[in-house]
Amino acid sequence: MHDRIRGGDPGAFRQLFDEHARLVHRHAVRVTGDWALAEDVVSLTFLEAWRLREKLRDENESVRPWLMGIAVNVLRNTARAARRHERAMARLPAREALPDFANELVGRMTDAEELAAAKAALGKLRRSEREVVTLCVWSGLSYAEAAEALDVPVGTVRSRLSRARARLRKLAERELRHKTADTPRPLRPVYDAPAPARPKKEERNR
């Protein structure tokens, strides 16, 4: 399989896409919180994999670490581009705000509130900690696979993940508490007062 990918075999790349596209997409959705952007990340990841196919090494039987390493770099570049775009937009004159449908898209996932809290908490971690969490916890890579994807020693992945898990748990709990505290309480239903009872016939004749 490695030889076929390095050789640019179209069938090998179709198999690579069929077996791993969903993994890359889930990873990108959880990192970005944006379904449409995650689809772009998938496309860019496999285009980059085609461009870098000759650099695929034989140390690991699975191509997953190599592919997820490419996905991590694509997400880094996407985040940098988004920050540049935001800075450029901030310099433009203010315009009428348009509705943002990102939250609606994220809401399609189960446990949306927990995902939002986790994503907010994840954003407060260091980038190196975020990457090991998303690769090992959310995308299911082993320590060795994550180390290969990030090009760092396995021990570094272990220490980063241990530190990140402890911080992420506290931050996510804090985000959920804040979200609960900020949610307005539902108003008590207001019912119409009952109409006064009509007097009996004999009472009306008095």
PDB file of all heavy atoms in Angstrom, residues 37-64:
ATOM      1  N   LEU A  37     -16.207  24.078   7.023  1.00  0.00           N
ATOM      2  CA  LEU A  37     -14.753  24.235   7.046  1.00  0.00           C
ATOM      3  C   LEU A  37     -14.072  22.882   7.169  1.00  0.00           C
ATOM      4  O   LEU A  37     -13.019  22.650   6.560  1.00  0.00           O
ATOM      5  CB  LEU A  37     -14.345  25.139   8.213  1.00  0.00           C
ATOM      6  CG  LEU A  37     -12.839  25.397   8.388  1.00  0.00           C
ATOM      7  CD1 LEU A  37     -12.243  26.003   7.123  1.00  0.00           C
ATOM      8  CD2 LEU A  37     -12.600  26.309   9.582  1.00  0.00           C
ATOM      9  N   ALA A  38     -14.677  21.973   7.919  1.00  0.00           N
ATOM     10  CA  ALA A  38     -14.100  20.630   8.058  1.00  0.00           C
ATOM     11  C   ALA A  38     -14.044  19.909   6.715  1.00  0.00           C
ATOM     12  O   ALA A  38     -13.086  19.176   6.426  1.00  0.00           O
ATOM     13  CB  ALA A  38     -14.917  19.813   9.062  1.00  0.00           C
ATOM     14  N   GLU A  39     -15.051  20.114   5.879  1.00  0.00           N
ATOM     15  CA  GLU A  39     -15.022  19.501   4.543  1.00  0.00           C
ATOM     16  C   GLU A  39     -13.873  20.065   3.711  1.00  0.00           C
ATOM     17  O   GLU A  39     -13.219  19.335   2.958  1.00  0.00           O
ATOM     18  CB  GLU A  39     -16.362  19.729   3.849  1.00  0.00           C
ATOM     19  CG  GLU A  39     -17.520  18.983   4.499  1.00  0.00           C
ATOM     20  CD  GLU A  39     -18.855  19.294   3.850  1.00  0.00           C
ATOM     21  OE1 GLU A  39     -18.867  20.121   2.901  1.00  0.00           O
ATOM     22  OE2 GLU A  39     -19.869  18.712   4.274  1.00  0.00           O
ATOM     23  N   ASP A  40     -13.624  21.371   3.848  1.00  0.00           N
ATOM     24  CA  ASP A  40     -12.483  21.964   3.151  1.00  0.00           C
ATOM     25  C   ASP A  40     -11.171  21.371   3.653  1.00  0.00           C
ATOM     26  O   ASP A  40     -10.241  21.126   2.866  1.00  0.00           O
ATOM     27  CB  ASP A  40     -12.465  23.479   3.352  1.00  0.00           C
ATOM     28  CG  ASP A  40     -13.626  24.175   2.663  1.00  0.00           C
ATOM     29  OD1 ASP A  40     -14.205  23.567   1.742  1.00  0.00           O
ATOM     30  OD2 ASP A  40     -13.948  25.311   3.046  1.00  0.00           O
ATOM     31  N   VAL A  41     -11.091  21.147   4.954  1.00  0.00           N
ATOM     32  CA  VAL A  41      -9.877  20.567   5.535  1.00  0.00           C
ATOM     33  C   VAL A  41      -9.637  19.164   4.978  1.00  0.00           C
ATOM     34  O   VAL A  41      -8.507  18.793   4.674  1.00  0.00           O
ATOM     35  CB  VAL A  41      -9.972  20.542   7.072  1.00  0.00           C
ATOM     36  CG1 VAL A  41      -8.841  19.721   7.680  1.00  0.00           C
ATOM     37  CG2 VAL A  41      -9.940  21.956   7.630  1.00  0.00           C
ATOM     38  N   VAL A  42     -10.710  18.393   4.828  1.00  0.00           N
ATOM     39  CA  VAL A  42     -10.567  17.043   4.251  1.00  0.00           C
ATOM     40  C   VAL A  42      -9.998  17.135   2.835  1.00  0.00           C
ATOM     41  O   VAL A  42      -9.049  16.417   2.478  1.00  0.00           O
ATOM     42  CB  VAL A  42     -11.925  16.311   4.241  1.00  0.00           C
ATOM     43  CG1 VAL A  42     -11.812  14.994   3.470  1.00  0.00           C
ATOM     44  CG2 VAL A  42     -12.385  16.043   5.669  1.00  0.00           C
ATOM     45  N   SER A  43     -10.572  18.014   2.022  1.00  0.00           N
ATOM     46  CA  SER A  43     -10.098  18.154   0.638  1.00  0.00           C
ATOM     47  C   SER A  43      -8.633  18.575   0.598  1.00  0.00           C
ATOM     48  O   SER A  43      -7.824  17.998  -0.150  1.00  0.00           O
ATOM     49  CB  SER A  43     -10.947  19.185  -0.100  1.00  0.00           C
ATOM     50  OG  SER A  43     -12.291  18.784  -0.158  1.00  0.00           O
ATOM     51  N   LEU A  44      -8.277  19.564   1.423  1.00  0.00           N
ATOM     52  CA  LEU A  44      -6.891  20.051   1.443  1.00  0.00           C
ATOM     53  C   LEU A  44      -5.941  18.992   1.955  1.00  0.00           C
ATOM     54  O   LEU A  44      -4.802  18.880   1.476  1.00  0.00           O
ATOM     55  CB  LEU A  44      -6.803  21.310   2.302  1.00  0.00           C
ATOM     56  CG  LEU A  44      -7.492  22.556   1.747  1.00  0.00           C
ATOM     57  CD1 LEU A  44      -7.535  23.662   2.801  1.00  0.00           C
ATOM     58  CD2 LEU A  44      -6.768  23.044   0.488  1.00  0.00           C
ATOM     59  N   THR A  45      -6.388  18.194   2.927  1.00  0.00           N
ATOM     60  CA  THR A  45      -5.523  17.147   3.478  1.00  0.00           C
ATOM     61  C   THR A  45      -5.169  16.110   2.422  1.00  0.00           C
ATOM     62  O   THR A  45      -4.005  15.714   2.279  1.00  0.00           O
ATOM     63  CB  THR A  45      -6.217  16.477   4.678  1.00  0.00           C
ATOM     64  OG1 THR A  45      -6.398  17.442   5.724  1.00  0.00           O
ATOM     65  CG2 THR A  45      -5.381  15.320   5.210  1.00  0.00           C
ATOM     66  N   PHE A  46      -6.159  15.677   1.661  1.00  0.00           N
ATOM     67  CA  PHE A  46      -5.874  14.645   0.659  1.00  0.00           C
ATOM     68  C   PHE A  46      -5.141  15.218  -0.559  1.00  0.00           C
ATOM     69  O   PHE A  46      -4.336  14.503  -1.186  1.00  0.00           O
ATOM     70  CB  PHE A  46      -7.164  13.933   0.257  1.00  0.00           C
ATOM     71  CG  PHE A  46      -7.605  12.927   1.285  1.00  0.00           C
ATOM     72  CD1 PHE A  46      -8.485  13.283   2.287  1.00  0.00           C
ATOM     73  CD2 PHE A  46      -7.102  11.643   1.278  1.00  0.00           C
ATOM     74  CE1 PHE A  46      -8.884  12.379   3.257  1.00  0.00           C
ATOM     75  CE2 PHE A  46      -7.482  10.720   2.235  1.00  0.00           C
ATOM     76  CZ  PHE A  46      -8.373  11.083   3.235  1.00  0.00           C
ATOM     77  N   LEU A  47      -5.370  16.482  -0.876  1.00  0.00           N
ATOM     78  CA  LEU A  47      -4.571  17.109  -1.930  1.00  0.00           C
ATOM     79  C   LEU A  47      -3.114  17.207  -1.504  1.00  0.00           C
ATOM     80  O   LEU A  47      -2.190  16.953  -2.295  1.00  0.00           O
ATOM     81  CB  LEU A  47      -5.124  18.505  -2.240  1.00  0.00           C
ATOM     82  CG  LEU A  47      -6.410  18.566  -3.062  1.00  0.00           C
ATOM     83  CD1 LEU A  47      -6.924  19.998  -3.125  1.00  0.00           C
ATOM     84  CD2 LEU A  47      -6.164  18.039  -4.482  1.00  0.00           C
ATOM     85  N   GLU A  48      -2.908  17.567  -0.228  1.00  0.00           N
ATOM     86  CA  GLU A  48      -1.542  17.662   0.283  1.00  0.00           C
ATOM     87  C   GLU A  48      -0.897  16.280   0.377  1.00  0.00           C
ATOM     88  O   GLU A  48       0.301  16.123   0.128  1.00  0.00           O
ATOM     89  CB  GLU A  48      -1.554  18.347   1.657  1.00  0.00           C
ATOM     90  CG  GLU A  48      -0.201  18.772   2.171  1.00  0.00           C
ATOM     91  CD  GLU A  48       0.401  19.937   1.390  1.00  0.00           C
ATOM     92  OE1 GLU A  48      -0.231  20.410   0.422  1.00  0.00           O
ATOM     93  OE2 GLU A  48       1.519  20.350   1.747  1.00  0.00           O
ATOM     94  N   ALA A  49      -1.696  15.269   0.717  1.00  0.00           N
ATOM     95  CA  ALA A  49      -1.172  13.904   0.756  1.00  0.00           C
ATOM     96  C   ALA A  49      -0.706  13.464  -0.631  1.00  0.00           C
ATOM     97  O   ALA A  49       0.335  12.801  -0.776  1.00  0.00           O
ATOM     98  CB  ALA A  49      -2.246  12.952   1.287  1.00  0.00           C
ATOM     99  N   TRP A  50      -1.444  13.818  -1.644  1.00  0.00           N
ATOM    100  CA  TRP A  50      -1.025  13.499  -3.015  1.00  0.00           C
ATOM    101  C   TRP A  50       0.282  14.205  -3.355  1.00  0.00           C
ATOM    102  O   TRP A  50       1.196  13.606  -3.924  1.00  0.00           O
ATOM    103  CB  TRP A  50      -2.122  13.893  -3.992  1.00  0.00           C
ATOM    104  CG  TRP A  50      -1.719  13.750  -5.438  1.00  0.00           C
ATOM    105  CD1 TRP A  50      -1.244  14.716  -6.263  1.00  0.00           C
ATOM    106  CD2 TRP A  50      -1.737  12.541  -6.203  1.00  0.00           C
ATOM    107  NE1 TRP A  50      -0.971  14.206  -7.504  1.00  0.00           N
ATOM    108  CE2 TRP A  50      -1.263  12.860  -7.496  1.00  0.00           C
ATOM    109  CE3 TRP A  50      -2.117  11.227  -5.926  1.00  0.00           C
ATOM    110  CZ2 TRP A  50      -1.149  11.909  -8.504  1.00  0.00           C
ATOM    111  CZ3 TRP A  50      -2.007  10.279  -6.941  1.00  0.00           C
ATOM    112  CH2 TRP A  50      -1.539  10.631  -8.204  1.00  0.00           C
ATOM    113  N   ARG A  51       0.393  15.463  -2.959  1.00  0.00           N
ATOM    114  CA  ARG A  51       1.601  16.232  -3.261  1.00  0.00           C
ATOM    115  C   ARG A  51       2.813  15.680  -2.520  1.00  0.00           C
ATOM    116  O   ARG A  51       3.931  15.667  -3.062  1.00  0.00           O
ATOM    117  CB  ARG A  51       1.389  17.696  -2.887  1.00  0.00           C
ATOM    118  CG  ARG A  51       2.496  18.637  -3.355  1.00  0.00           C
ATOM    119  CD  ARG A  51       2.191  20.066  -2.993  1.00  0.00           C
ATOM    120  NE  ARG A  51       2.292  20.303  -1.560  1.00  0.00           N
ATOM    121  CZ  ARG A  51       3.445  20.574  -0.927  1.00  0.00           C
ATOM    122  NH1 ARG A  51       4.578  20.619  -1.607  1.00  0.00           N
ATOM    123  NH2 ARG A  51       3.455  20.794   0.366  1.00  0.00           N
ATOM    124  N   LEU A  52       2.587  15.181  -1.304  1.00  0.00           N
ATOM    125  CA  LEU A  52       3.695  14.713  -0.460  1.00  0.00           C
ATOM    126  C   LEU A  52       3.817  13.187  -0.447  1.00  0.00           C
ATOM    127  O   LEU A  52       4.483  12.638   0.426  1.00  0.00           O
ATOM    128  CB  LEU A  52       3.489  15.209   0.984  1.00  0.00           C
ATOM    129  CG  LEU A  52       3.436  16.726   1.189  1.00  0.00           C
ATOM    130  CD1 LEU A  52       3.094  17.049   2.628  1.00  0.00           C
ATOM    131  CD2 LEU A  52       4.771  17.360   0.805  1.00  0.00           C
ATOM    132  N   ARG A  53       3.196  12.523  -1.412  1.00  0.00           N
ATOM    133  CA  ARG A  53       3.132  11.061  -1.370  1.00  0.00           C
ATOM    134  C   ARG A  53       4.501  10.394  -1.337  1.00  0.00           C
ATOM    135  O   ARG A  53       4.670   9.340  -0.724  1.00  0.00           O
ATOM    136  CB  ARG A  53       2.324  10.547  -2.559  1.00  0.00           C
ATOM    137  CG  ARG A  53       2.909  10.880  -3.920  1.00  0.00           C
ATOM    138  CD  ARG A  53       1.939  10.519  -5.040  1.00  0.00           C
ATOM    139  NE  ARG A  53       2.488  10.769  -6.373  1.00  0.00           N
ATOM    140  CZ  ARG A  53       2.486  11.955  -6.965  1.00  0.00           C
ATOM    141  NH1 ARG A  53       1.932  13.006  -6.350  1.00  0.00           N
ATOM    142  NH2 ARG A  53       2.999  12.108  -8.176  1.00  0.00           N
ATOM    143  N   GLU A  54       5.493  11.002  -1.968  1.00  0.00           N
ATOM    144  CA  GLU A  54       6.812  10.370  -2.016  1.00  0.00           C
ATOM    145  C   GLU A  54       7.528  10.412  -0.675  1.00  0.00           C
ATOM    146  O   GLU A  54       8.523   9.720  -0.483  1.00  0.00           O
ATOM    147  CB  GLU A  54       7.670  11.052  -3.093  1.00  0.00           C
ATOM    148  CG  GLU A  54       7.147  10.843  -4.509  1.00  0.00           C
ATOM    149  CD  GLU A  54       8.020  11.521  -5.554  1.00  0.00           C
ATOM    150  OE1 GLU A  54       9.018  12.168  -5.157  1.00  0.00           O
ATOM    151  OE2 GLU A  54       7.706  11.400  -6.750  1.00  0.00           O
ATOM    152  N   LYS A  55       7.016  11.218   0.260  1.00  0.00           N
ATOM    153  CA  LYS A  55       7.643  11.317   1.582  1.00  0.00           C
ATOM    154  C   LYS A  55       7.070  10.317   2.588  1.00  0.00           C
ATOM    155  O   LYS A  55       7.477  10.307   3.749  1.00  0.00           O
ATOM    156  CB  LYS A  55       7.482  12.737   2.127  1.00  0.00           C
ATOM    157  CG  LYS A  55       8.227  13.786   1.308  1.00  0.00           C
ATOM    158  CD  LYS A  55       8.142  15.154   1.955  1.00  0.00           C
ATOM    159  CE  LYS A  55       8.932  16.188   1.150  1.00  0.00           C
ATOM    160  NZ  LYS A  55       8.880  17.534   1.793  1.00  0.00           N
ATOM    161  N   LEU A  56       6.108   9.504   2.166  1.00  0.00           N
ATOM    162  CA  LEU A  56       5.538   8.498   3.053  1.00  0.00           C
ATOM    163  C   LEU A  56       6.601   7.463   3.397  1.00  0.00           C
ATOM    164  O   LEU A  56       7.203   6.848   2.521  1.00  0.00           O
ATOM    165  CB  LEU A  56       4.337   7.827   2.379  1.00  0.00           C
ATOM    166  CG  LEU A  56       3.694   6.658   3.134  1.00  0.00           C
ATOM    167  CD1 LEU A  56       3.156   7.108   4.491  1.00  0.00           C
ATOM    168  CD2 LEU A  56       2.590   6.039   2.288  1.00  0.00           C
ATOM    169  N   ARG A  57       6.819   7.259   4.707  1.00  0.00           N
ATOM    170  CA  ARG A  57       7.850   6.316   5.148  1.00  0.00           C
ATOM    171  C   ARG A  57       7.228   4.967   5.479  1.00  0.00           C
ATOM    172  O   ARG A  57       6.020   4.828   5.632  1.00  0.00           O
ATOM    173  CB  ARG A  57       8.579   6.881   6.373  1.00  0.00           C
ATOM    174  CG  ARG A  57       9.278   8.208   6.124  1.00  0.00           C
ATOM    175  CD  ARG A  57      10.198   8.553   7.286  1.00  0.00           C
ATOM    176  NE  ARG A  57       9.453   8.719   8.524  1.00  0.00           N
ATOM    177  CZ  ARG A  57       8.986   9.884   8.968  1.00  0.00           C
ATOM    178  NH1 ARG A  57       9.175  10.984   8.256  1.00  0.00           N
ATOM    179  NH2 ARG A  57       8.328   9.959  10.115  1.00  0.00           N
ATOM    180  N   ASP A  58       8.102   3.952   5.615  1.00  0.00           N
ATOM    181  CA  ASP A  58       7.650   2.582   5.856  1.00  0.00           C
ATOM    182  C   ASP A  58       7.749   2.167   7.323  1.00  0.00           C
ATOM    183  O   ASP A  58       7.527   1.000   7.643  1.00  0.00           O
ATOM    184  CB  ASP A  58       8.471   1.593   5.021  1.00  0.00           C
ATOM    185  CG  ASP A  58       8.162   1.702   3.538  1.00  0.00           C
ATOM    186  OD1 ASP A  58       6.996   1.967   3.215  1.00  0.00           O
ATOM    187  OD2 ASP A  58       9.075   1.520   2.728  1.00  0.00           O
ATOM    188  N   GLU A  59       8.077   3.109   8.238  1.00  0.00           N
ATOM    189  CA  GLU A  59       8.277   2.723   9.628  1.00  0.00           C
ATOM    190  C   GLU A  59       7.007   2.183  10.273  1.00  0.00           C
ATOM    191  O   GLU A  59       7.047   1.362  11.178  1.00  0.00           O
ATOM    192  CB  GLU A  59       8.772   3.924  10.455  1.00  0.00           C
ATOM    193  CG  GLU A  59      10.230   4.262  10.244  1.00  0.00           C
ATOM    194  CD  GLU A  59      10.442   5.143   9.021  1.00  0.00           C
ATOM    195  OE1 GLU A  59       9.453   5.376   8.277  1.00  0.00           O
ATOM    196  OE2 GLU A  59      11.581   5.586   8.804  1.00  0.00           O
ATOM    197  N   ASN A  60       5.866   2.660   9.834  1.00  0.00           N
ATOM    198  CA  ASN A  60       4.596   2.258  10.438  1.00  0.00           C
ATOM    199  C   ASN A  60       3.750   1.541   9.399  1.00  0.00           C
ATOM    200  O   ASN A  60       3.683   1.954   8.246  1.00  0.00           O
ATOM    201  CB  ASN A  60       3.853   3.508  10.956  1.00  0.00           C
ATOM    202  CG  ASN A  60       2.791   3.156  11.965  1.00  0.00           C
ATOM    203  OD1 ASN A  60       1.963   2.287  11.721  1.00  0.00           O
ATOM    204  ND2 ASN A  60       2.809   3.823  13.109  1.00  0.00           N
ATOM    205  N   GLU A  61       3.096   0.446   9.805  1.00  0.00           N
ATOM    206  CA  GLU A  61       2.262  -0.292   8.865  1.00  0.00           C
ATOM    207  C   GLU A  61       1.062   0.519   8.398  1.00  0.00           C
ATOM    208  O   GLU A  61       0.596   0.367   7.283  1.00  0.00           O
ATOM    209  CB  GLU A  61       1.788  -1.604   9.507  1.00  0.00           C
ATOM    210  CG  GLU A  61       2.913  -2.604   9.770  1.00  0.00           C
ATOM    211  CD  GLU A  61       2.382  -3.902  10.336  1.00  0.00           C
ATOM    212  OE1 GLU A  61       1.143  -4.011  10.488  1.00  0.00           O
ATOM    213  OE2 GLU A  61       3.189  -4.794  10.621  1.00  0.00           O
ATOM    214  N   SER A  62       0.551   1.376   9.265  1.00  0.00           N
ATOM    215  CA  SER A  62      -0.628   2.180   8.932  1.00  0.00           C
ATOM    216  C   SER A  62      -0.202   3.522   8.366  1.00  0.00           C
ATOM    217  O   SER A  62       0.818   4.093   8.771  1.00  0.00           O
ATOM    218  CB  SER A  62      -1.492   2.395  10.179  1.00  0.00           C
ATOM    219  OG  SER A  62      -2.542   3.307   9.920  1.00  0.00           O
ATOM    220  N   VAL A  63      -0.998   4.038   7.433  1.00  0.00           N
ATOM    221  CA  VAL A  63      -0.740   5.372   6.887  1.00  0.00           C
ATOM    222  C   VAL A  63      -1.448   6.445   7.713  1.00  0.00           C
ATOM    223  O   VAL A  63      -1.331   7.632   7.410  1.00  0.00           O
ATOM    224  CB  VAL A  63      -1.206   5.464   5.413  1.00  0.00           C
ATOM    225  CG1 VAL A  63      -0.446   4.493   4.545  1.00  0.00           C
ATOM    226  CG2 VAL A  63      -2.711   5.226   5.297  1.00  0.00           C
ATOM    227  N   ARG A  64      -2.180   6.036   8.745  1.00  0.00           N
ATOM    228  CA  ARG A  64      -2.972   6.982   9.526  1.00  0.00           C
ATOM    229  C   ARG A  64      -2.121   8.074  10.189  1.00  0.00           C
ATOM    230  O   ARG A  64      -2.488   9.252  10.111  1.00  0.00           O
ATOM    231  CB  ARG A  64      -3.802   6.227  10.571  1.00  0.00           C
ATOM    232  CG  ARG A  64      -4.832   7.096  11.259  1.00  0.00           C
ATOM    233  CD  ARG A  64      -5.824   6.272  12.053  1.00  0.00           C
ATOM    234  NE  ARG A  64      -5.207   5.637  13.208  1.00  0.00           N
ATOM    235  CZ  ARG A  64      -5.918   5.137  14.234  1.00  0.00           C
ATOM    236  NH1 ARG A  64      -7.230   5.191  14.207  1.00  0.00           N
ATOM    237  NH2 ARG A  64      -5.309   4.573  15.245  1.00  0.00           N
TER     238      ARG A  64
END
